[in-house]
Amino acid sequence: MVTSGERKVVIGGARQRTTLALLLLNPGRTVPVDTLVHEVWNGNPPATARTQIAIVIAALRKTFKAQGAADDTIVTAHPGYLLDVESHYIDSVEFTALVAQAEIDAREQRLEDAAGRYRRALDLWRGPALAGVSGLLVEEEAGRLGEYRLNAYDDATAVQLALGRHYELLPELGGVVQENPLRERTRYHQMLAQYRAGRRAEAMESYREAREQFIEELGLEPGPDLQELHDLILRDDPSLTPADGPVSVGTEAAAPEVVVVPSELPPDVPGFTGRESELTALDALVIESGAALQTPTVGLITGVAGVGKSGLALRWAHRAADDFPDGRLFADLRGYDEQHEPAPVADVLGRFLRSLGVPGQQIPEALEERIALYRSLLTERRALIVLDNVRTHAQVVPLLPGSGASCVVVTSRDQLEQLVTWPKEARVHLGVLPPDAAVELVAKIAGEERIAAARTDATRLVELCDRLPLALRIAAARLASKPHWSVRHLVARLSDERRRLDELSQGESRVRAGFELSYRYLSVDAARLYRRLGLADVPDFTSWVAAALLDVDVIHAELLLEDLVDTQFLEVVGVDATGRLRYRFQNLLRLYAGERARDEESDEAWHDACHRVFRTALTIAREAHRRESGGEFSIVHSGTEPATIDTDLLEELLADPLAWFEAERLCLVGMVEQAARMGMADLAWDLTGSASVLFETRSYVENWESCAVHALDAARAADDRLGQAVMLHHTGAAALMRQSMDEAKARSEEALELYGDLDERLGRALVLRNLAVVHRLQGDPDAAADRLRGALPIFREAGDLSSESSVLQNMAQLELDRGNYEASLGHARDAVRVAESMDPGASRSLAQCLYRLGSAQLLSGRAEEAEESYLRVEELSRAKADTHGLAHALYGLGQARVALGALESAETAYVQGRKVARGLGSPVVEGSIRLKLGVLLRELGRDEEARAELLGAKELFTRRGATHWQEEVARELSGSPEISPAVSPGLSPDPSSDLSPDPAPELSSDPSPELFPGVGVGE
């Protein structure tokens, strides 16, 4: 009821009453709008709920203002509203204050003052709390207030009995007992008052009635206090009769001391699944607690919101309960509670002391005294204390036993670094459930048969829930409550990232709410980093990305990242090849970060943050490309200005440029695609070009093409003609690498035309080089030679040594195709000379040139020299982890050793090459090597093994549609190989010859670019 003076103020409508009730229950504290929405509509709000709450608040303000209240009675305070209590009277606040003072008076034996304050407090009640107001939270608080009222009544009765007023109490006690027949303390007071009033028989009858009701309704005997009082009454024990004058509250009833064994653990978690290793780790607490040292053990369970920390703690506590015969205490410290402030430690200690048998009036007021008494009680006991939802180390310290064999288990979303666990293995970090355990949990709730019948969909479902127990339980409960839904239907609903958190944030169990509470406690910078990372389209990241997002130095970014790890917003993937820690999100946390960014970040701030990241990535990638290529070779850049990067950091990242590219590959792909979507075309295409050295060397053709296509689209949208030319060049190079000759030619010619219009000579030369390879592979060596002759002077003019050596070794290959071995040797030696003059970091160019030289040497009858060249190629390729180059080197090495008669060594090279080629996923490469191995095995007289290799080669060539190679294998299988006189014994036609219309085998003895790239733009 609301009053203004003597007038009753009418609050209209259930929504207004519920909203006002929530504000009254949190006087002076902000009530979030989300809480109001949830309670007013019982967890099923309409889309306009937040607007309607604002209307309700406006109506309440208008009602109060009409009664003369100030405008700021209800104040808007992010993220909701609060009720100003300074100029208003709230009966629940007054009741709490009166009871608190009465308890102090009683402890200090000011019994008359205590009795008066208790009476004034109880007189404030005019009926049930919050009658007629709906809402789950309101109803829960009403129940709590009702319990508080009964506790105050019992405390007041104890004071009245101490004052000898048992006669006055009896009428009222009878009514209270009738309303609360199972309340033991009230029964106790009634029996004592009856006995002291000379009604011994009534006291015994009251006990009999209580015992019958307890057994009938609870299946339990009355508690030890009632039983002891019953025995004392039977004996007419003198301790029951009050002395003359008031009786001290501390000695009221003079009942003998009762040893209380509390058991406060909440129920075990239904459907608990997995976590066996974590439970085993916690078992160490019991083993250690029984040791001779009698030292308290401490365990800590950490993890992200919803990962099942409380569930694990309760499962273990119930499992280990028998090991703690002196009691099991439990407290929710509410460190992450949106409805309440964290539980005061003094209150928790007061409750624990009562649970351990200390009468309320004997509990000290001072916190230090409570801690001392609590630790003294536990010294000789072996109890289990579970402290749930702890946010700070300070909450835990006063609740730790000082000595004895007790055990404390703490759960927290934070690492609580200051808390030392003992034993050390009892510090348990809880991750998401394994896939099988996650599916099992869903099945336990939604139904075993239902999940078994849709196993594939169930597997997808648990991944969409991040295998997070809270999310899994919500999803499973939705299935259980909707038997007409299929698992696939729920999967479809969760697959929409824009709706996923909404789907998993319904009812009381809300995933989003759990994240929000942790987010609220982040520092300003950590929160900003978290939400900006949520919009970055990268699978994982290192500190340089974080630093660029915030425009801070890397050291500061690393501190913030560790803050996010400690608060469970990020997880550490591991250490990459550059020695940097890599971090990533769970998907649900990434989605929540994106929500926060969209709500709290301006478009301009987000655009600037992304631009910094992409420009930083481009600056590092340009330098990595330069170091790997031996200079600013084989690349056309945009006009983007480089970012400023700490020199020491750059050196640390690029100690091995390819290792940095490898570590950041998926990140770079994500950045290119995101930059393209955001209209930053120059960054997208330049980053693609700079990363091409990785894509080509490690054969990441799909990544290369994906980046190039996205960047090309962005360049077209921006009318960036240079960007279009460069990306057409790259799409052509990628097509060439996967041996799609027609596409490679079309894309390259389109790029050539654009470069010509722009008068971009280096770009034209790079495309001419690629077209030369296309012409050669399509059987037009003259056109190929023309293209190479056109490109060579431009590269020499530009000082592009890498491209110059590439043109020379391609000229060497053309001469090999024509059978001009001496001319080929000349070009190959020139190519090696140019490559050797480059920076040692550009060793891949040297390896390519050495391979051409080895091919020319082999066909010129210089097998020993060829073997030496191939060995150098092998060494360089292994150093660069260049699998294409290694397969090529081993293929050539095998042929050279066959020519030298070292057949066993040749077999070893072929077998190693076969293994490497299989990992490339290229049928022609693997088939070429298996063909040569089959021929060699037959020469060694191992016909069955030879036939197996030849049949394997045939299957690979058939899969690729390599007609010429199929014919070659068929001849070998028939036992009549036809070897061209122009091809030295033991050598084979070019594996690329299947790509030309009807190649003559004698024109090529060199494996194709599929075996050894180097025909693209990077080298």
Side-chain angles (χ1 to χ4, degrees):
M1 180 174 68
V2 180
T3 61
S4 176
E6 298 298 324
R7 299 188 307 276
K8 180 178 179 180
V9 179
V10 178
I11 304 299
R15 293 175 187 170
Q16 289 188 35
R17 289 196 297 274
T18 301
T19 301
L20 180 58
L22 290 168
L23 294 172
L24 289 168
L25 288 170
N26 296 273
R29 295 196 300 270
T30 300
V31 180
V33 173
D34 288 346
T35 301
L36 296 172
V37 167
H38 184 269
E39 293 303 316
V40 168
W41 282 278
N42 289 320
N44 189 25
T48 60
R50 297 177 72 88
T51 301
Q52 292 190 47
I53 288 295
I55 294 171
V56 166
I57 293 295
L60 287 172
R61 286 170 172 164
K62 182 177 180 182
T63 298
F64 294 156
K65 190 171 184 180
Q67 298 298 325
D71 291 339
D72 58 355
T73 300
I74 300 177
V75 180
T76 301
H78 182 77
Y81 304 94
L82 65 80
L83 182 68
D84 180 21
V85 297
E86 291 187 4
S87 57
H88 307 287
Y89 174 88
I90 300 176
D91 54 7
S92 62
V93 175
E94 180 68 10
F95 172 78
T96 301
L98 285 168
V99 169
Q101 186 57 50
E103 290 175 347
I104 295 172
D105 291 337
R107 280 196 298 272
E108 297 178 358
Q109 299 303 310
R110 297 191 298 271
L111 301 186
E112 289 290 352
D113 291 343
R117 286 193 170 90
Y118 275 128
R119 177 50 53 197
R120 285 160 53 198
L122 292 168
D123 285 346
L124 292 173
W125 287 78
R126 302 175 182 83
L130 302 169
V133 183
S134 61
L136 179 61
L137 183 58
V138 173
E139 291 165 7
E140 288 177 353
E141 288 298 305
R144 185 185 65 81
L145 286 171
E147 183 67 20
Y148 194 9
R149 175 191 185 186
L150 288 173
N151 286 339
Y153 176 79
D154 285 337
D155 289 342
T157 303
V159 171
Q160 295 286 4
L161 285 168
L163 289 167
R165 296 170 181 168
H166 33 271
Y167 288 105
E168 295 93 324
L169 285 172
L170 282 173
E172 188 176 39
L173 272 170
V176 176
V177 167
Q178 188 174 3
E179 292 177 5
N180 304 277
L182 300 178
R183 193 169 181 84
E184 289 197 45
R185 194 175 177 207
T186 310
R187 285 274 193 184
Y188 183 100
H189 288 153
Q190 183 190 39
M191 289 172 59
L192 184 59
Q194 288 170 332
Y195 180 79
R196 288 181 177 178
R199 301 177 184 180
R200 185 172 182 273
E202 290 182 19
M204 300 304 290
E205 178 62 21
S206 293
Y207 179 79
R208 185 190 62 78
E209 290 177 357
R211 183 173 184 274
E212 288 180 355
Q213 287 179 311
F214 273 57
I215 292 174
E216 181 179 345
E217 297 188 29
L218 303 178
L220 299 172
E221 290 284 345
D225 289 348
L226 273 183
Q227 292 184 38
E228 185 66 26
L229 179 59
H230 171 263
D231 294 342
L232 291 171
I233 291 173
L234 282 175
R235 297 197 306 267
D236 284 321
D237 194 290
S239 65
L240 298 179
T241 304
D244 292 338
V247 178
S248 168
V249 174
T251 59
E252 179 226 312
E257 181 180 354
V258 178
V259 177
V260 179
V261 180
S263 184
E264 300 178 349
L265 296 177
D268 197 359
V269 179
F272 187 91
T273 303
R275 307 302 196 193
E276 288 305 320
S277 61
E278 291 87 352
L279 289 167
T280 300
L282 292 173
D283 283 341
L285 293 167
V286 173
I287 296 170
E288 292 291 334
S289 68
L293 292 176
Q294 296 290 288
T295 301
T297 55
V298 180
L300 173 64
I301 304 171
T302 61
V304 70
V307 80
K309 301 179 294 296
S310 300
L312 176 64
L314 289 174
R315 168 51 60 98
W316 183 82
H318 280 284
R319 192 168 88 166
D322 291 344
D323 292 295
F324 300 97
D326 297 319
R328 281 75 60 191
L329 302 174
F330 177 88
D332 182 353
L333 297 189
R334 302 200 302 258
Y336 310 91
D337 192 322
E338 64 177 328
Q339 307 294 345
H340 305 93
E341 293 296 318
V345 173
D347 290 356
V348 175
L349 279 168
R351 184 165 66 76
F352 280 0
L353 289 171
R354 289 187 183 90
S355 298
L356 293 169
V358 180
Q361 59 271 21
Q362 293 183 8
I363 296 175
E365 180 66 22
L367 176 61
E368 292 78 5
E369 294 179 8
R370 291 189 178 192
I371 295 171
L373 179 57
Y374 168 73
R375 288 176 175 165
S376 296
L377 290 171
L378 290 177
T379 298
E380 301 300 326
R381 304 192 190 197
R382 188 172 179 183
L384 172 63
I385 302 103
V386 178
L387 305 176
D388 198 20
N389 289 315
V390 172
R391 186 159 65 88
T392 65
H393 180 246
Q395 287 181 293
V396 178
V397 174
L399 300 170
L400 295 177
S403 59
S406 292
C407 169
V408 179
V409 176
V410 177
T411 74
S412 179
R413 298 181 192 177
D414 293 273
Q415 291 296 331
L416 303 183
E417 292 182 357
Q418 294 171 282
L419 181 65
V420 178
T421 60
W422 181 260
K424 63 181 182 301
E425 57 265 35
R427 179 179 285 269
V428 175
H429 179 71
L430 209 54
V432 298
L433 286 171
D436 289 345
V439 173
E440 182 183 349
L441 175 57
V442 173
K444 285 183 177 180
I445 298 172
E448 302 280 355
E449 293 183 1
R450 188 176 183 186
I451 298 303
R455 183 76 186 191
T456 301
D457 292 329
T459 300
R460 174 62 177 154
L461 175 65
V462 301
E463 293 302 329
L464 289 171
C465 293
D466 273 357
R467 291 184 269 123
L468 192 68
L470 174 60
L472 292 169
R473 289 180 179 278
I474 294 170
R478 298 198 73 192
L479 287 174
S481 66
K482 296 183 180 294
H484 55 286
W485 278 15
S486 66
V487 180
R488 180 167 297 181
H489 175 73
L490 182 56
V491 166
R493 295 173 71 97
L494 293 178
S495 295
D496 185 348
E497 289 193 347
R498 296 167 300 177
R499 293 170 46 91
R500 192 178 306 163
L501 281 175
D502 293 331
E503 293 286 343
L504 296 173
S505 299
Q506 301 188 13
E508 294 182 44
S509 299
R510 294 177 292 165
V511 171
R512 182 187 283 112
F515 296 160
E516 180 179 351
L517 291 170
S518 295
Y519 177 74
R520 191 179 299 170
Y521 293 114
L522 290 176
S523 67
V524 172
D525 284 347
R528 183 181 296 114
L529 175 58
Y530 168 65
R531 57 181 181 259
R532 288 184 178 178
L533 284 169
L535 289 180
D537 286 348
V538 292
D540 52 44
F541 40 85
T542 61
S543 53
W544 69 263
V545 175
L549 279 172
L550 293 185
D551 198 15
V552 298
D553 61 71
V554 170
I555 298 298
H556 185 51
E558 287 173 349
L559 293 174
L560 295 175
L561 287 169
E562 287 303 310
D563 285 347
L564 293 175
V565 170
D566 290 344
T567 50
Q568 315 299 326
F569 281 100
L570 292 178
E571 58 185 9
V572 177
V573 182
V575 179
D576 64 23
T578 69
R580 314 295 292 184
L581 285 173
R582 300 198 71 83
Y583 305 85
R584 71 179 174 198
F585 283 116
Q586 291 178 8
N587 282 329
L588 294 177
L589 282 165
R590 176 181 57 80
L591 294 178
Y592 181 70
E595 286 186 359
R596 297 270 50 82
R598 285 185 285 273
D599 286 347
E600 300 179 38
E601 295 277 346
S602 68
D603 291 343
E604 181 181 5
W606 171 235
H607 183 278
D608 290 347
C610 284
H611 192 271
R612 283 195 302 274
V613 173
F614 302 153
R615 195 157 65 96
T616 301
L618 175 59
T619 302
I620 302 172
R622 281 178 173 179
E623 179 62 17
H625 183 281
R626 188 190 68 77
R627 296 186 185 196
E628 184 62 25
S629 302
E632 288 292 343
F633 300 151
S634 305
I635 193 167
V636 175
H637 285 303
S638 68
T640 301
E641 289 295 321
T644 301
I645 299 176
D646 180 76
T647 304
D648 291 339
L649 173 64
L650 197 61
E651 290 302 318
E652 181 182 337
L653 293 176
L654 299 183
D656 182 343
L658 269 183
W660 180 83
F661 270 128
E662 188 69 69
E664 299 290 356
R665 174 172 63 93
L666 297 180
C667 246
L668 294 174
V669 171
M671 289 179 185
V672 167
E673 295 181 1
Q674 189 169 15
R677 287 197 305 274
M678 296 179 72
M680 303 179 193
D682 55 340
L683 289 168
W685 68 258
D686 200 344
L687 191 53
T688 299
S690 298
S692 63
V693 64
L694 169 73
F695 298 145
E696 184 179 0
T697 301
R698 299 288 167 82
S699 192
Y700 295 128
V701 184
E702 290 185 6
N703 292 154
W704 194 1
E705 286 192 304
S706 175
C707 288
V709 168
H710 280 90
L712 177 59
D713 290 343
R716 284 171 172 164
D719 196 25
D720 182 346
R721 300 187 73 209
L722 179 60
Q724 293 175 50
V726 174
M727 288 301 95
L728 285 167
H729 169 201
H730 278 262
T731 55
L736 178 57
M737 194 167 182
R738 56 180 168 80
Q739 298 186 355
S740 295
M741 295 299 112
D742 290 340
E743 181 183 349
K745 184 176 181 181
R747 293 284 189 171
S748 297
E749 288 179 342
E750 193 176 352
L752 190 65
E753 183 177 353
L754 267 176
Y755 276 138
D757 293 344
L758 296 168
D759 195 25
E760 171 52 58
R761 286 172 54 76
L762 180 60
R764 277 182 54 82
L766 291 170
V767 176
L768 287 172
R769 183 189 65 180
N770 283 10
L771 281 171
V773 177
V774 173
H775 291 316
R776 182 180 75 82
L777 294 177
Q778 289 186 329
D780 190 350
D782 292 337
D786 287 342
R787 299 291 195 183
L788 292 174
R789 283 193 294 270
L792 185 59
I794 298 175
F795 290 140
R796 285 175 171 165
E797 177 186 330
D800 189 336
L801 299 177
S802 175
S803 297
E804 180 185 352
S805 66
S806 176
V807 168
L808 289 169
Q809 57 111 340
N810 274 282
M811 287 180 167
Q813 183 61 50
L814 278 176
E815 296 303 330
L816 280 180
D817 293 343
R818 290 169 166 151
N820 299 327
Y821 303 142
E822 291 301 321
S824 175
L825 274 172
H827 288 311
R829 285 169 179 153
D830 287 343
V832 170
R833 175 183 51 77
V834 173
E836 286 179 332
S837 71
M838 294 166 57
D839 188 285
S843 58
R844 189 164 182 273
S845 290
L846 177 59
Q848 292 172 334
C849 297
L850 283 167
Y851 185 85
R852 299 302 177 201
L853 177 60
S855 299
Q857 290 167 334
L858 187 60
L859 290 172
S860 301
R862 299 175 173 87
E864 290 183 0
E865 295 177 19
E867 182 185 27
E868 182 180 345
S869 295
Y870 290 140
L871 284 171
R872 289 185 66 190
V873 175
E874 180 187 11
E875 179 184 0
L876 293 170
S877 298
R878 289 188 187 277
K880 287 290 184 183
D882 181 357
T883 50
H884 278 86
L886 182 57
H888 197 181
L890 293 167
Y891 182 86
L893 196 57
Q895 293 188 90
R897 287 172 175 170
V898 167
L900 290 168
L903 301 187
E904 291 184 1
S905 296
E907 180 186 358
T908 300
Y910 284 142
V911 169
Q912 291 177 355
R914 179 185 61 187
K915 181 179 179 181
V916 174
R918 187 166 295 163
L920 297 176
S922 174
V924 172
V925 175
E926 184 183 352
S928 302
I929 296 175
R930 293 191 72 173
L931 169 59
K932 297 306 299 177
L933 179 58
V935 172
L936 175 59
L937 290 171
R938 189 177 58 197
E939 291 180 12
L940 292 171
R942 291 150 60 183
D943 292 343
E944 289 188 10
E945 294 177 59
R947 184 171 179 80
E949 292 297 330
L950 292 171
L951 288 173
K954 180 180 179 181
E955 192 277 328
L956 289 166
F957 293 142
T958 302
R959 187 194 314 168
R960 178 64 176 80
T963 306
H964 168 72
W965 282 104
Q966 292 177 60
E967 295 172 356
E968 179 73 13
V969 174
R971 286 194 293 270
E972 294 293 347
L973 284 169
S974 69
S976 57
E978 298 177 9
I979 302 176
S980 168
V983 181
S984 300
L987 302 185
S988 73
D990 183 351
S992 68
S993 57
D994 64 288
L995 300 171
S996 54
D998 186 17
E1002 65 272 11
L1003 292 182
S1004 175
S1005 61
D1006 179 30
S1008 72
E1010 182 175 6
L1011 267 176
F1012 201 149
V1015 298
V1017 297
E1019 299 286 0

